[in-house]
Amino acid sequence: MVAFNVRPDIDAAAEKLSASFGAKREIQRLPEVLWEGETVELLATGIYGKGNGLLAMTNQRLVFYFHGVMSQKVEDFPYSRISSVQWAGGMLMGTLTVFASGNKAEIKQVPKDQGKALADALRQKISAAAAPPVAAAPAAAAPAPAAQDVASRLQTLEHLRQQGLVTEEEYTQRRNQILDSL
């Protein structure tokens, strides 16, 4: 494998490539298309549209980068916009299909080992991006309107006790809490 000496994260991802054929220029120029603070986690080669280029999975997005002699193409897929990922592998190569923002992108001729690893890692990324954020501790309850609320709370508590849904001990404890809130 060729040593690229671009950047530690890019070099580490490039070392895992089974072949970098058709993507050497893209690997060398990848820092030009990355955002500040963005790090590369996985790389794969493939054909998207008319170009044989590089797929870079970063800590923020999936990027397809083609840098030809006459043209250049950069297409990115932020994880929050990717709805699903499909992988179809053949004997040696496969197709990675990314569904994002209602569009479908097919990256073909991806080496089987790179494509499978990328598809699995992408699924983890998009499930993490889709997970609801962890809620902060609930804010302290606003003070309830005094007398009317206390009366209704005591009435509800009494009703629960009569139905046997709270024990006598729980009833006494909660009743005292309600009265203490006055």
Side-chain angles (χ1 to χ4, degrees):
M1 180 53 48
V2 178
F4 289 96
N5 297 320
V6 178
R7 225 173 63 181
D9 59 321
I10 296 172
D11 294 342
E15 285 177 14
K16 296 175 189 171
L17 289 174
S18 53
S20 58
F21 177 74
K24 291 178 183 173
R25 183 179 307 141
E26 287 81 2
I27 292 170
Q28 291 290 335
R29 295 180 176 265
L30 189 56
E32 297 170 12
V33 298
L34 295 177
W35 298 334
E36 188 172 330
E38 190 172 23
T39 57
V40 175
E41 297 173 358
L42 285 174
L43 293 174
T45 58
I47 298 173
Y48 180 52
K50 297 178 183 177
N52 187 15
L54 182 70
L55 271 168
M57 187 178 125
T58 74
N59 60 332
Q60 299 178 27
R61 61 191 171 138
L62 177 67
V63 179
F64 179 82
Y65 181 40
F66 165 72
H67 191 285
V69 177
M70 302 294 278
S71 65
Q72 178 178 344
K73 179 178 186 170
V74 176
E75 187 158 349
D76 69 339
F77 307 92
Y79 299 129
S80 62
R81 304 268 170 110
I82 299 175
S83 57
S84 70
V85 175
Q86 290 179 347
W87 170 250
M91 290 288 283
L92 299 173
M93 302 288 188
T95 300
L96 179 71
T97 307
V98 178
F99 295 90
S101 301
N103 296 314
K104 175 179 160 182
E106 286 187 340
I107 298 103
K108 299 179 179 184
Q109 297 299 310
V110 178
K112 188 176 179 178
D113 57 340
Q114 296 167 21
K116 173 89 171 80
L118 193 65
D120 292 343
L122 272 172
R123 286 187 189 100
Q124 288 180 343
K125 287 281 188 186
I126 62 175
S127 67
V134 176
Q148 189 176 15
D149 185 53
V150 170
S152 67
R153 290 172 62 199
L154 287 171
Q155 187 177 24
T156 302
L157 185 59
E158 177 64 32
H159 184 68
L160 291 172
R161 182 176 74 154
Q162 289 173 353
Q163 289 184 328
L165 298 172
V166 293
T167 65
E168 199 62 42
E169 182 180 314
E170 290 172 320
Y171 170 79
T172 304
Q173 181 185 15
R174 290 183 185 174
R175 183 175 182 276
N176 288 338
Q177 288 174 342
I178 292 169
L179 292 174
D180 287 344
S181 70
L182 289 175

